[in-house]
Amino acid sequence: MWEIYALFQVFMNNPDCFHCGTKCGSDPIVVEDKPFCCNGCKTVFEILNQNELNVYYDLESAPGMIPNEISGKFDYLANQDIAKKLLEFEDEETAVVNFYIPTIHCSSCIWVLENLHKLNKGVQTTLVNFPKKEVRITFKKNEISLQELAELITSIGYEPYISLESADADETRVDRKLIYQVAIAGFAFGNIMMLSFPEYFQVDEFWLNRFKPFFRGIMLVMAIPAVVYSGRDYLISAFKGLKHGILNIDVPISLGILVLFVRSTYEVMTGTGQGYFDSLTGLIFFLLLGKVFQQKTYSFLSFERDYKSYFPIAVTQIDKDKTQHSISVNDVKKGDRLLIRNEEIIPVDGILLNGDALIDYSFVTGESLPLSKISGDKLYAGGKQKGPAIEMEAIESVKQSYLTQLWSKDIFGQQDKDNIKSLTDSISKQFTIIILGIALAAGIFWYFQDRSIAFQVVSAILIVACPCALALSAPFSLGNMIRIFGKESFYLKDAYVIESLSRANTLVFDKTGTITANNASEINYSGTPLSKSEKMGIKAVLKSSNHPLSRALYEHIPMKAEHEAAGFTEHLGEGISGQVQDMKIALGSAQFTGAVNQNPNQTQIHVKIDGELKGIFLVSNNYRKGLNQVMDTLGKEYELSVLTGDSEGEKENLESILPEGSQIFFRQKPEDKLNRIKVFQESEKSVMMLGDGLNDAGALVQSDVGIAISENINVFSPACDGILDARSFSKLPSFLKLSQKTMSIIKISFVISFLYNIIGLLFAITGNLSPIVAAILMPVSSISVVLFATLATNFVAKKVLY
């Protein structure tokens, strides 16, 4: 009991933060008698009130001196071997580090940390992950070192937690606050219940009656820590919301807690009753217990995916005998020799062995200028090769979640404001206003009808009505469906892509590599016979290209390429060129090579060596298995179009495959494909684009939802919304149908949530629902909606897919 009393005294004596209003800790930061809960609040307040406080704090010209107590603390970071273990990325100029900072406290902390570039120009960008208390910093090595960076953020009150012994720092980040809150609320609830037994049974006994005020006083004392510590998160959240003009869900809960506490305290102090301390502490206990159960449930149903789910792509492995074969990116091991072609993503950190590397790290750092690398240089995961094929050796396995984080960057996303999330947010805001109105009206009514239950009615209304179930419907329905899609080799950037899929009414397909199979094409050569050296030269040039036709022709030529191609260039939508020893080789369209297109009804790859036209590789495309059935099914609900850079050679075949009324556009360059998507959108159409991610990257970005088809290639466009394994192409109609059904499930979940609230309110308004039961029903309603969303999406998926 003494410990609880002491904890209460400390809490009550701690002042409120002068900036954000949050209760300060045991050692608040004080500036001219003004208390602050954290350095972030202090800094923001000083900047906003420089004239009021005699403090000069200008981020643009802040002093660079580090306090003596910090200087030398991070000297070990000057050791390059240690620094390399902490850095996520590093080249000659730029480095990226991810720090865990336990002292990140509130929005002020986020503001200060994300403005580090104003404290030191060497800091380029800063991104705070508030839930994980992490900050990802990109900085210029020649302007600020890792040691200086750590000293800088420590000097403003945000010392990073750096563990070199344990790779799994999450074990040291367990937040036991919720456990303590539940324990204190449970302790108070149990003891108050025991002390209340005589009151329950109306026992009339001399000693009980004599000490009844004393027992009620003990109940009041035990209820105080339950309210001020266990229930503080609800009260603080409500206060902050009201301070910023926001009515969040914690407002009615906090009002319920305060109404019970004030009413009970009044009855005990005046001797008019025992109060409702049992209901009050039971309410807080069950609310917190429900929160724990929710966290466990959500953790069990977690939809966090790793790199294996996001990247169903292959990478080319080179064996000791120089043979090449594709392996899954998650099978890459330390010491593997990998071939990275033009426009391919480097999947893992490694050392460049040979080849001219020109690496574009914009995917990682945001810098668009490619960097030249020579043999022996380190290459970082996430870079994209620009130019001839290179060979590298992996120095570690694929970092789990690293590529995932890159793909999920907001700068690559297309934020749709008119989505289900904005709908649920707006409903939740109106919901709180309506509930407060109902509670006020019911309280006034019962005050004149039966004052003894008026407070109970108001408390029950404020507690039982909850939009949480409403807010959870969409995340769990979409989250479970994205998991199901992943199991079927359809990988989406985020859950809300499903909503975009359900809205699509126009489907646009690229031809080569999308509706045609790369490994199933018939290729014949017509023209001047090619010598062995010429064939080897052609294969050497093809080696660096990742275009589906290049890959097909590369596999068609049987001999190995003994020499590397120099000066390799890939002209999007036209062809490729390079020099092998003394031969200048160009492969591509008739226009690119200067040839005459003699047979426009076939896909052709013209060959030009040392300025002389040699001949043509004629490619007969084999369309994907089940394509006719896929197009027939989709044609019943969607407008279909095909965009291709090829000539009209496949027009007859395409017309026989596509439903009547479908559009086919030939000789489409990358910019033509993008403009065509714009034309569709100007006609108020919601466009879904499917391509291979090469020549159609711009069209994928422009479309309302862009899907890249993956088939044993390591080409990845960060702008695409999803990746579909080519082997699952036949399931495309099912995926689109499931997207629509998922949105229907969300709407049904909304109805269930509304029904729960209506029924609960009816019982509460009529005085037939106690606050304790309401506190139990509140998390139960949320969990029931979560289970319905999960089970329903599982059921429809099983019905549609299997």
Side-chain angles (χ1 to χ4, degrees):
M1 180 65 72
W2 171 251
E3 288 82 357
I4 294 177
Y5 175 74
L7 176 66
F8 167 67
Q9 286 289 89
V10 169
F11 182 81
M12 291 300 291
N13 290 331
N14 290 345
D16 293 334
C17 176
F18 196 78
H19 177 65
C20 71
T22 302
K23 185 70 70 175
C24 295
S26 58
D27 188 20
I29 301 167
V30 180
V31 178
E32 295 194 3
D33 298 326
K34 293 179 173 65
F36 298 94
C37 64
C38 63
N39 280 281
C41 285
K42 178 182 80 73
T43 302
V44 173
F45 183 81
E46 288 175 347
I47 293 168
L48 297 178
N49 299 272
Q50 286 181 20
N51 294 330
E52 179 183 335
L53 289 174
N54 295 320
V55 177
Y56 180 77
Y57 198 100
D58 184 1
L59 283 179
E60 294 289 355
S61 56
M65 294 187 64
I66 302 298
N68 291 330
E69 64 270 19
I70 297 174
S71 181
K73 190 171 186 178
F74 298 99
D75 284 351
Y76 63 92
L77 293 181
N79 185 307
Q80 292 301 310
D81 293 332
I82 295 176
K84 286 180 179 179
K85 293 180 180 179
L86 298 176
L87 294 175
E88 288 188 353
F89 169 84
E90 182 184 22
D91 61 23
E92 288 81 0
E93 297 181 356
T94 307
V96 179
V97 67
N98 196 65
F99 282 135
Y100 170 58
I101 302 180
T103 52
I104 293 178
H105 181 268
C106 60
S107 57
S108 298
C109 301
I110 298 174
W111 186 89
V112 171
L113 287 170
E114 292 195 345
N115 280 276
L116 284 179
H117 61 281
K118 295 181 179 179
L119 285 173
N120 190 298
K121 294 182 179 179
V123 178
Q124 290 181 288
T125 61
T126 310
L127 182 63
V128 175
N129 185 331
F130 185 72
K132 292 186 176 181
K133 297 185 181 297
E134 292 178 345
V135 56
R136 190 171 190 265
I137 305 173
T138 304
F139 61 97
K140 291 288 188 181
K141 291 166 49 181
N142 58 347
E143 296 185 28
I144 183 171
S145 66
L146 181 62
Q147 176 187 347
E148 293 169 338
L149 181 63
E151 291 174 344
L152 172 66
I153 60 178
T154 302
S155 69
I156 59 173
Y158 298 98
E159 181 176 350
Y161 174 84
I162 301 175
S163 173
L164 299 178
E165 293 79 22
S166 173
D168 187 8
D170 289 337
E171 295 178 1
T172 64
R173 306 181 190 179
V174 177
D175 183 7
R176 300 187 180 274
K177 177 184 172 184
L178 181 58
I179 298 174
Y180 297 150
Q181 288 176 322
V182 172
I184 289 176
F187 174 82
F189 176 50
N191 283 278
I192 290 174
M193 285 281 287
M194 287 194 295
L195 292 172
S196 300
F197 272 121
E199 304 273 3
Y200 293 154
F201 298 109
Q202 297 295 316
V203 177
D204 189 15
E205 201 271 335
F206 173 77
W207 291 105
L208 288 176
N209 289 333
R210 182 175 181 179
F211 288 100
K212 188 177 289 185
F214 174 72
F215 289 141
R216 290 176 177 176
I218 292 177
M219 287 190 284
L220 170 59
V221 171
M222 285 195 291
I224 290 173
V227 172
V228 298
Y229 179 71
S230 298
R232 64 177 296 186
D233 290 344
Y234 297 105
L235 300 173
I236 290 172
S237 175
F239 173 75
K240 287 184 177 180
L242 291 173
K243 185 177 179 181
H244 293 89
I246 300 172
L247 286 174
N248 56 34
I249 182 56
D250 290 326
V251 170
I253 293 176
S254 298
L255 280 176
I257 292 173
L258 292 175
V259 165
L260 283 174
F261 181 73
V262 171
R263 172 67 179 181
S264 301
T265 303
Y266 170 79
E267 289 189 2
V268 170
M269 292 297 185
T270 58
T272 56
Q274 69 171 24
Y276 303 93
F277 290 123
D278 51 349
S279 297
L280 171 62
T281 53
L283 162 66
I284 297 172
F285 175 68
F286 285 113
L287 283 174
L288 294 172
L289 203 62
K291 186 184 290 187
V292 172
F293 186 46
Q294 283 178 340
Q295 287 184 358
K296 295 292 184 183
T297 304
Y298 304 160
S299 177
F300 178 74
L301 298 174
S302 174
F303 307 117
E304 186 76 21
R305 295 144 306 154
D306 60 18
Y307 67 99
K308 295 179 184 178
S309 298
Y310 276 121
F311 293 89
I313 54 181
V315 62
T316 303
Q317 184 184 49
I318 303 174
D319 292 332
K320 293 181 180 179
D321 60 356
K322 298 295 183 180
T323 58
Q324 302 173 11
H325 61 276
S326 294
I327 62 172
S328 175
V329 69
N330 55 283
D331 290 333
V332 174
K333 301 184 296 296
K334 181 179 179 179
D336 284 351
R337 193 180 182 106
L338 307 176
L339 178 71
I340 308 296
R341 300 182 180 88
N342 182 43
E343 295 294 326
E344 283 190 344
I345 291 288
I346 298 171
V348 63
D349 291 353
I351 300 297
L352 178 62
L353 298 178
N354 60 58
D356 298 323
L358 190 63
I359 310 298
D360 176 7
Y361 281 119
S362 60
F363 197 17
V364 181
T365 66
E367 292 287 337
S368 59
L369 188 65
L371 300 175
S372 297
K373 297 292 180 181
I374 61 175
S375 180
D377 285 350
K378 185 175 180 179
L379 305 179
Y380 287 89
K384 179 183 285 189
Q385 164 64 354
K386 296 280 191 179
I390 59 174
E391 294 182 15
M392 60 172 284
E393 180 178 321
I395 58 175
E396 58 183 56
S397 59
V398 174
K399 286 184 180 178
Q400 186 168 348
S401 82
Y402 180 65
L403 297 177
T404 293
Q405 293 172 4
L406 295 180
W407 191 23
S408 299
K409 275 187 179 179
D410 290 340
I411 58 174
F412 299 122
Q414 301 177 49
Q415 301 299 324
D416 185 1
K417 295 181 180 179
D418 184 22
N419 59 20
I420 198 72
K421 186 178 186 299
S422 62
L423 173 63
T424 54
D425 288 346
S426 62
I427 292 176
S428 297
K429 291 176 184 177
Q430 300 300 322
F431 188 95
T432 303
I433 297 174
I434 294 171
I435 294 306
L436 291 176
I438 293 174
L440 178 63
I444 294 173
F445 172 81
W446 282 106
Y447 181 81
F448 293 104
Q449 291 292 321
D450 187 352
R451 294 185 183 182
S452 63
I453 66 169
F455 282 96
Q456 177 178 316
V457 169
V458 171
S459 301
I461 291 173
L462 293 172
I463 295 161
V464 75
C466 176
C468 295
L470 184 71
L472 292 171
S473 301
F476 275 85
S477 299
L478 297 172
N480 195 41
M481 190 54 69
I482 202 173
R483 180 186 64 82
I484 293 169
F485 282 177
K487 289 178 65 177
E488 298 299 320
S489 300
F490 185 28
Y491 309 91
L492 302 181
K493 177 181 290 187
D494 59 56
Y496 291 97
V497 174
I498 294 176
E499 186 177 1
S500 299
L501 288 172
S502 69
R503 292 178 177 179
N505 53 32
T506 301
L507 306 185
V508 179
F509 297 86
D510 180 42
K511 183 181 79 70
T512 306
T514 303
I515 61 176
T516 62
N518 296 342
N519 55 1
S521 301
E522 288 186 18
I523 301 177
N524 296 293
Y525 177 74
S526 174
T528 305
L530 298 170
S531 66
K532 181 180 179 180
S533 62
E534 288 174 333
K535 290 180 181 179
M536 292 171 64
I538 291 172
K539 188 156 187 173
V541 175
L542 291 168
K543 178 182 176 181
S544 297
S545 174
N546 232 322
H547 190 279
L549 286 177
S550 298
R551 304 306 315 134
L553 183 55
Y554 180 86
E555 297 296 333
H556 173 74
I557 299 175
M559 65 271 300
K560 296 180 181 179
E562 296 182 356
H563 304 283
E564 299 296 326
F568 173 84
T569 308
E570 186 154 3
H571 308 266
L572 290 180
E574 297 180 358
I576 58 177
S577 61
Q579 182 170 333
V580 182
Q581 291 186 307
D582 296 330
M583 290 185 295
K584 294 182 179 179
I585 300 173
L587 306 168
S589 65
Q591 183 179 0
F592 178 68
T593 57
V596 178
N597 197 352
Q598 298 175 351
N599 188 356
N601 295 321
Q602 256 186 312
T603 301
Q604 306 170 5
I605 302 175
H606 294 262
V607 181
K608 186 177 183 180
I609 300 178
D610 291 332
E612 180 185 350
L613 292 170
K614 290 287 186 177
I616 307 170
F617 285 101
L618 302 173
V619 182
S620 299
N621 293 302
N622 286 335
Y623 292 93
R624 296 198 182 279
K625 186 178 180 180
L627 180 63
N628 292 67
Q629 184 178 352
V630 169
M631 293 301 180
D632 288 341
T633 304
L634 294 175
K636 296 174 183 177
E637 295 187 36
Y638 302 92
E639 293 184 25
L640 305 182
S641 298
V642 172
L643 305 179
T644 175
D646 297 339
S647 61
E648 288 80 357
E650 289 289 313
K651 183 176 181 179
E652 187 175 335
N653 288 334
L654 286 171
E655 288 178 341
S656 65
I657 293 171
L658 296 172
E660 187 176 348
S662 301
Q663 295 178 291
I664 308 173
F665 301 92
F666 295 98
R667 304 180 188 278
Q668 297 290 295
K669 294 181 179 180
E671 58 270 21
D672 297 327
K673 295 178 181 179
L674 187 150
N675 292 330
R676 185 63 59 181
I677 297 295
K678 288 182 179 179
V679 170
F680 286 137
Q681 291 171 329
E682 288 170 359
S683 303
E684 302 298 324
K685 294 177 181 178
S686 180
V687 181
M688 173 181 170
M689 172 74 189
L690 296 97
D692 57 25
L694 290 167
N695 298 337
D696 41 34
L700 290 174
V701 177
Q702 180 62 40
S703 62
D704 296 285
V705 55
I707 306 298
I709 307 297
S710 169
E711 185 175 37
N712 290 329
I713 56 174
N714 182 19
V715 176
F716 175 67
S717 171
C720 70
D721 298 300
I723 305 174
L724 176 62
D725 194 309
R727 292 169 295 183
S728 298
F729 182 82
S730 60
K731 298 178 182 178
L732 180 60
S734 298
F735 293 140
L736 292 171
K737 187 175 182 179
L738 281 175
S739 299
Q740 296 170 349
K741 287 187 175 293
T742 301
M743 301 312 297
S744 299
I745 290 171
I746 292 174
K747 293 173 183 177
I748 295 173
S749 299
F750 282 179
V751 173
I752 293 174
S753 178
F754 279 121
L755 287 175
Y756 155 78
N757 281 286
I758 290 170
I759 294 172
L761 283 172
L762 287 175
F763 277 94
I765 292 171
T766 55
N768 295 311
L769 188 67
S770 70
I772 291 182
V773 176
I776 295 173
L777 290 177
M778 181 181 170
V780 168
S781 68
S782 300
I783 293 168
S784 63
V785 168
V786 167
L787 291 176
F788 168 77
T790 305
L791 294 175
T793 47
N794 283 336
F795 174 77
V796 297
K798 187 175 182 180
K799 188 175 181 181
V800 172
L801 289 171
Y802 309 110

